[in-house]
Amino acid sequence: MAKEPNSNLSTTTTTTTTNNNKLFSIMLQPFRWLKMLSTELHPSFIAGVILIYGLSHGFSGSYFKVVSDYYWKDVQKLQPSVVQIYIGIYTIPWVMKPIWGLLTDAFPVRGYLRRPYFVISGVVGATAAVGMAVKGGLGVLEALGLLIGISGAMAIADVTIDACIVRNSIEVQWLAQDLQSLCGACSSIGHLIGYSTSGFFVHLLGAQGGSIKQVGVAIRDTCKAIKYPHVWRPSLFMFLCLSLSISTHEGQFYWYTDKKAGPAFSQESVGLIYAVGSAASLIGVLIYHKTLRDLKFRRILFFAQLFYGVAGFLDVIFVLRWNLALRIPDELFVVIEECVTRIVTRIRWTPMMVLNTRLCSVGIEGTFFALLACIDSLGTLCSKWSGGLVLHAFGVTRSDFRNLWLVVLLRTVLRFVVVGFVFLVPDANQTDILIPGDHTMVRKSSSEDGDNIPLVSMKSEGRD
């Protein structure tokens, strides 16, 4: 009996050690996963994904969103419906993604196929951002031009890394879902960091000739591929999915920050709300990666769109201030709304990106994925502009938000309409090959073109 305390102590110590080891093992899982991806693919490729999706797409994109919103509202003092139109204009570089994709597929620069486009996008984006930050008293057109430059730089970088992702997804198909999970995680973390600090800083600082034949072949194969029902039908669904869900962001943003009609969130609060949403987006990535990656495309997109519509009613409740009747403070309710929306949006978006990679062929992956992304961007453009028109039609202005709830309700109803088009999505597994096997390829294998993410000179690989 005298030894029992020592025995209990030993058991407790062992249990504690075991629990610590399990916790340590769980903490190491993301790093093991990254190591596995780096081993199977290439470390520089994984670094490229993290850089573009984390830094450019996530971190810089979050700053761009918050700063541009406050810039149009507080500096240029424009109406929300007009801002929606302008946002649509600097979305145009994303609509032009097939052109950027064609450049990355068919126009090497000094023997390099894709590395120069990373450099070009960096230079253009940095120059436009510096011009926007340094030059005061910009006119509307000047500011719009610089914002187009920033947006265009992001679009070019996005196309370039997407082409590499698609290529690796085709050649190492069992890692396609992992790659999209990596993209989603990097984007969410980047947005989290960006939104966490953006509000503070806004408050502090204020608001080639031999390639012509290759081009022809790439265009021909792209046109051939888009005619397949398994390609155009899901592409149509993704377009409808985005375009029918009209954007009411600017109207809601103006209302969020209005001191009379709205909850009067501060600049720091707006950034923090977006940051919490980005953190929730990571939960969406984990849910998809752990439980949903084996579901069929049609099933997961059906339920994701359905829940996306349900989540829209939270906005209606918030704009009508019913949350106060339920004794839920504005700050708590908007965090709940943002988290739910971001989780559902990520779960809805990730399988669509996997579906896009399944529709591409080797050799035209940059061009074709960019075309699919262009379709998505066109849907977003329609969403922005139609949202601006609806805000204008319902008389929502900088100071009049009486009909904002009707606009948000209309947007929510349209989300449910999209559910009726889910039959356009193939009833296939996320690992299935969806395009015919006889589809013409421009280039046959990665060893022939120097097209891998290391982006070494094609001359060193013996390319003509």
Side-chain angles (χ1 to χ4, degrees):
M1 295 293 295
K3 295 183 178 180
E4 187 174 341
N6 290 333
S7 177
N8 291 336
L9 180 61
S10 177
T11 302
T12 302
T13 304
T14 303
T15 302
T16 302
T17 303
T18 302
N19 290 336
N20 289 338
N21 289 337
K22 288 182 179 179
L23 179 61
F24 186 67
S25 179
I26 292 173
M27 293 175 62
L28 287 178
Q29 278 187 4
F31 299 99
R32 294 191 185 118
W33 181 53
L34 287 175
K35 183 179 180 180
M36 180 273 292
L37 291 176
S38 298
T39 302
E40 293 291 336
L41 301 170
H42 196 282
S44 61
F45 168 65
I46 302 302
V49 173
I50 294 173
L51 180 65
I52 299 302
Y53 271 87
L55 181 60
S56 176
H57 197 278
F59 182 79
S60 299
S62 63
Y63 264 86
F64 183 76
K65 177 183 174 66
V66 175
V67 171
S68 61
D69 279 345
Y70 274 105
Y71 179 78
W72 292 124
K73 177 178 181 286
D74 295 339
V75 179
Q76 296 292 349
K77 300 186 182 303
L78 300 178
Q79 298 293 352
S81 57
V82 176
V83 176
Q84 287 274 175
I85 302 301
Y86 285 163
I87 290 175
I89 291 175
Y90 55 77
T91 301
I92 291 176
W94 294 85
V95 178
M96 296 172 61
K97 287 179 77 171
I99 296 177
W100 316 138
L102 190 60
L103 290 174
T104 64
D105 281 340
F107 282 91
V109 179
R110 298 182 65 86
Y112 292 94
L113 192 58
R114 291 194 169 111
R115 182 182 295 172
Y117 296 101
F118 283 114
V119 177
I120 291 171
S121 65
V123 171
V124 171
T127 302
V130 170
M132 193 78 185
V134 173
K135 189 174 180 180
L138 289 172
V140 172
L141 294 180
E142 290 179 291
L144 185 60
L146 290 174
L147 289 172
I148 290 173
I150 296 172
S151 180
M154 291 181 178
I156 293 172
D158 191 71
V159 164
T160 307
I161 196 64
D162 280 346
C164 301
I165 291 170
V166 174
R167 185 58 172 268
N168 281 298
S169 296
I170 294 172
E171 296 181 349
V172 192
Q173 294 189 12
W174 64 277
L175 287 178
Q177 294 99 318
D178 291 84
L179 287 178
Q180 291 305 320
S181 295
L182 176 63
C183 294
C186 292
S187 179
S188 296
I189 293 172
H191 279 112
L192 171 60
I193 298 173
Y195 284 137
S196 297
T197 56
S198 59
F200 169 76
F201 282 109
V202 169
H203 178 75
L204 183 65
L205 303 176
Q208 319 223 229
S211 297
I212 297 300
K213 181 178 179 181
Q214 186 78 355
V215 171
V217 176
I219 293 175
R220 182 198 67 197
D221 282 359
T222 300
C223 293
K224 179 180 177 182
I226 199 66
K227 294 178 182 178
Y228 291 120
H230 276 325
V231 175
W232 69 260
R233 286 164 61 92
S235 299
L236 176 59
F237 171 79
M238 285 185 275
F239 173 78
L240 294 172
C241 194
L242 293 168
S243 62
L244 288 180
S245 183
I246 61 174
S247 173
T248 59
H249 170 76
E250 295 307 318
Q252 290 177 259
F253 171 75
Y254 277 53
W255 178 76
Y256 281 164
T257 56
D258 190 85
K259 296 181 179 180
K260 295 181 179 179
F265 291 139
S266 66
Q267 294 164 342
E268 294 88 347
S269 295
V270 170
L272 182 60
I273 290 167
Y274 290 152
V276 172
S278 297
S281 182
L282 275 173
I283 298 175
V285 174
L286 291 173
I287 292 174
Y288 168 80
H289 187 70
K290 293 294 185 180
T291 64
L292 303 176
R293 54 185 290 166
D294 295 326
L295 293 180
K296 291 186 175 182
F297 283 117
R298 185 178 297 176
R299 182 178 178 84
I300 187 174
L301 289 175
F302 172 81
F303 284 106
Q305 186 64 34
L306 191 63
F307 284 120
Y308 189 54
V310 173
F313 282 114
L314 293 176
D315 284 329
V316 179
I317 293 172
F318 190 40
V319 173
L320 289 172
R321 309 308 297 276
W322 289 353
N323 61 294
L324 297 180
L326 297 172
R327 297 185 178 181
I328 303 176
D330 288 335
E331 292 78 5
L332 176 59
F333 191 86
V334 75
V335 166
I336 294 172
E337 180 272 329
E338 186 74 9
C339 289
V340 171
T341 300
R342 289 297 191 96
I343 290 172
V344 175
T345 298
R346 179 59 66 183
I347 292 174
R348 169 176 166 263
W349 185 249
T350 304
M352 286 200 288
M353 291 298 97
V354 175
L355 180 57
N356 276 350
T357 66
R358 289 285 175 249
L359 302 178
C360 296
S361 296
V362 174
I364 57 169
E365 62 274 8
T367 304
F368 199 76
F369 192 84
L371 175 62
L372 297 175
C374 168
I375 294 172
D376 293 346
S377 296
L378 278 173
T380 302
L381 179 60
C382 291
S383 171
K384 296 290 185 184
W385 282 356
S386 60
L389 294 174
V390 171
L391 286 169
H392 179 73
F394 279 80
V396 177
T397 67
R398 293 175 55 88
S399 56
D400 188 349
F401 304 98
R402 288 174 296 176
N403 293 328
L404 179 60
W405 73 273
L406 287 172
V407 178
V408 177
L409 179 62
L410 175 61
R411 180 212 64 183
T412 302
V413 171
L414 288 173
R415 289 181 179 181
F416 286 102
V417 172
V418 175
V419 177
F421 294 96
V422 77
F423 69 90
L424 294 169
V425 178
D427 191 22
N429 293 317
Q430 296 183 49
T431 54
D432 289 349
I433 298 175
L434 302 179
I435 58 173
D438 61 346
H439 180 65
T440 304
M441 306 296 181
V442 178
R443 296 184 297 272
K444 298 298 182 182
S445 69
S446 61
S447 62
E448 296 176 359
D449 61 8
D451 200 26
N452 284 334
I453 190 66
L455 304 176
V456 296
S457 173
M458 292 184 295
K459 297 174 183 177
S460 68
E461 295 192 11
R463 178 169 176 163
D464 293 334

